[in-house]
Amino acid sequence: EAPVLRNNAPAKGGASAHRLLAPTTADELRARHPGARTVALSLKDRSAIVLGGRRAELALWFDTDVNAWMTSTAYTTRPLPPIARFIEQHPIAESLGAVWTRRLEPSRYLTPDQGFGEAPSQGWTARFPHPLDDGDHKVDAAFFSRWESSPSSDAYLERMAEAAVDAFSLGRRQAPDLLAVSFSALDLVGHAFGPDSQEVQDLLAHLDDTVGRLLGFLDERVGRGNYVVALSADHGIQPIPEQAVAAGRDAGRISTAA
């Protein structure tokens, strides 16, 4: 595995597409159009790497062990100045004091708040609102965990995508380019609150706004009708067993240790 890079210095561990057996969309695009450029962004290393393929100009992810943005020497020998500048000018700590509040009118939600069996692990309760810090404006592991599991992380990825489009002039040359953004908060929120929660519905409402901003930006920079949008997902999630039992469906939990 190729060493990862953080703040102009190698960080612990390694990451690359070395074990990837099949060509990706990015790999096929570059094979057919040698001048094609690829940028892949995600909170997860595996998402950025698989979306970016073997030779992306940029594959960037957020490392929760050190709470910093990472790339790999498989792609570059040093952090790229425009992206490093964006991260420096827009630290995640800007979200200190932010509170995740509901985007929609109360009547729009399909289920009650604080659903039975919800188990948020970030120090939150199961009821809105969800503050990103405890009021002490402390940049610690709890803050980063809450930031990742909120609409704020998706919004940050969108802003980073805009910076990458400008940094690499994506979509403004003869060869087609690929911008891949994995909005990762839904995965974390689904695991913590369950797929039928107000949190999941609200996150999707926020994400709709976020995707709209990105498409509006591409309309301005690349031109409406000059790019193709593809939407996908990596997996769904099972209902919370306790909620299924309450609804009269046969469900339960097993002991993985046993």
Side-chain angles (χ1 to χ4, degrees), residues 16-59:
S16 74
H18 176 69
R19 291 184 176 86
L20 188 63
L21 299 180
T24 67
T25 299
D27 296 327
E28 288 294 322
L29 187 67
R30 188 184 292 272
R32 294 171 182 268
H33 304 276
R37 295 175 178 175
T38 298
V39 170
L41 309 173
S42 178
L43 294 186
K44 307 176 188 178
D45 54 357
R46 54 199 176 275
S47 296
I49 289 170
V50 173
L51 287 171
R54 294 169 175 81
R55 294 175 56 200
E57 273 63 37
L58 176 66

Side-chain angles (χ1 to χ4, degrees), residues 164-189:
V165 168
D166 285 342
F168 293 97
S169 297
L170 298 183
R172 282 173 277 177
R173 299 170 304 108
Q174 286 297 107
D177 299 318
L178 176 64
L179 170 67
V181 185
S182 172
F183 292 109
S184 312
L186 181 60
D187 187 0
L188 301 172
V189 172

